[in-house]
Amino acid sequence: MDFTVLTLFPELIQSFFKHGMILRGIEKKLIDATCVNIRDFSTDRHNTVDDRPYGGGSGMVMKVEPLKAAILSAKKKAPESQVILMTPQGNRFSQKKAWELASKNTGLIFICGRYEGIDERIYTTLVDEELSIGDYVMTGGELASMVIIDSIARLIPGVLGSDESCRSDSFTDDRLEYAQYTRPEVFERQKVPDVLLSGNHEKIRLWRKKSSLERTFLKRPDLFKKTGLSKEEKKIVLQWCQELESLC
Ligand code: ADE
């Protein structure tokens, strides 16, 4: 999968590409990651990439010409790529969107805005989608693009050690991930649940299902509004009700 980031702060992105899972993905040739400095596409001798807003007001606006040239150059290398503008006004990024973009596998070009905004005319023909990572405003789209690339890259088969581990991630199927334990078996008098030591795969699967349901109920009940309970989950809830009733 091709990731291209258009930015005025290439060092920020380059260091991200040099570490951890992204680097391993690049080394395994599962990921191609490129960082493009938008300033390289400015045409005047001062390398200008921003200008004062028409109509007055504070701050500077990113100019359309260098940005367009940077996008077209990135598209030349990866013509199928989707162009994504990072902006707090965009659609909210989610785990579902991460899966969607990872499975489309078209290649992604991220535009990281800076200053007060980007000339409106960039939106009309050059941007396929606007994405936001939350309702807060950062000084630029760089951190947001890294958040999105990280969450997509780990879903590409072979990038993580175990493909299974991202299938049980929180938010996949609108549930939080189940509780996890590792050695020691007892820590400050808290013991790992016996079932996890039993070796019985079906019992472990059920326990995890229950744990995931419990956590979602307690921490993110809003997730149930999106999807109702599955047949198996209803059975677990019914069991809880019976257990509670027997306590009364
Ligand atoms: N640029 C600035 N703030 C942002 C946000 N919340 N999401 C995406 N891009 C941004």
Side-chain angles (χ1 to χ4, degrees), residues 182-202:
T182 186
R183 282 184 292 184
E185 210 176 301
V186 182
F187 173 70
E188 293 178 354
R189 286 199 283 171
Q190 299 174 79
K191 195 181 172 316
V192 174
D194 286 334
V195 60
L196 299 180
L197 311 171
S198 70
N200 184 325
H201 296 302
E202 180 54 14

Side-chain angles (χ1 to χ4, degrees), residues 2 6 36 59 76 85 119 126 130 161 170 172 182 189 217:
D2 267 28
L6 313 184
V36 172
K76 216 171 179 178
L85 175 67
D119 188 305
L126 293 161
E130 295 170 42
S170 288
T172 301
T182 186
R189 286 199 283 171
F217 264 122

Side-chain angles (χ1 to χ4, degrees), residues 1 4 39 59 65 105 150 165 171 184 247:
M1 179 137 183
T4 307
R39 205 174 287 282
E65 305 97 316
N105 200 5
D150 189 289
S165 69
F171 306 110
L247 289 176

Side-chain angles (χ1 to χ4, degrees), residues 60-147:
M60 300 291 268
V61 176
M62 275 175 85
K63 287 168 72 63
V64 67
E65 305 97 316
L67 209 43
K68 177 175 178 177
I71 295 169
L72 293 184
S73 154
K75 275 227 140 183
K76 216 171 179 178
K77 282 190 198 139
E80 299 299 313
S81 290
Q82 221 183 313
V83 178
I84 296 181
L85 175 67
M86 301 317 309
T87 160
Q89 297 184 12
N91 296 324
R92 181 75 67 86
F93 185 68
S94 62
Q95 187 66 20
K96 187 168 166 236
K97 189 76 197 174
W99 275 110
E100 186 191 310
L101 293 173
S103 47
K104 260 196 197 161
N105 200 5
T106 51
L108 301 169
I109 297 169
F110 294 90
I111 307 172
C112 303
R114 281 268 157 176
Y115 307 108
E116 300 306 304
I118 296 180
D119 188 305
E120 187 67 19
R121 290 163 292 186
I122 205 72
Y123 297 85
T124 43
T125 52
L126 293 161
V127 172
D128 295 310
E129 184 163 11
E130 295 170 42
L131 284 181
S132 161
I133 60 163
D135 288 347
Y136 42 85
V137 180
M138 298 182 291
T139 47
E142 283 76 10
L143 284 171
S145 73
M146 290 189 266
V147 166

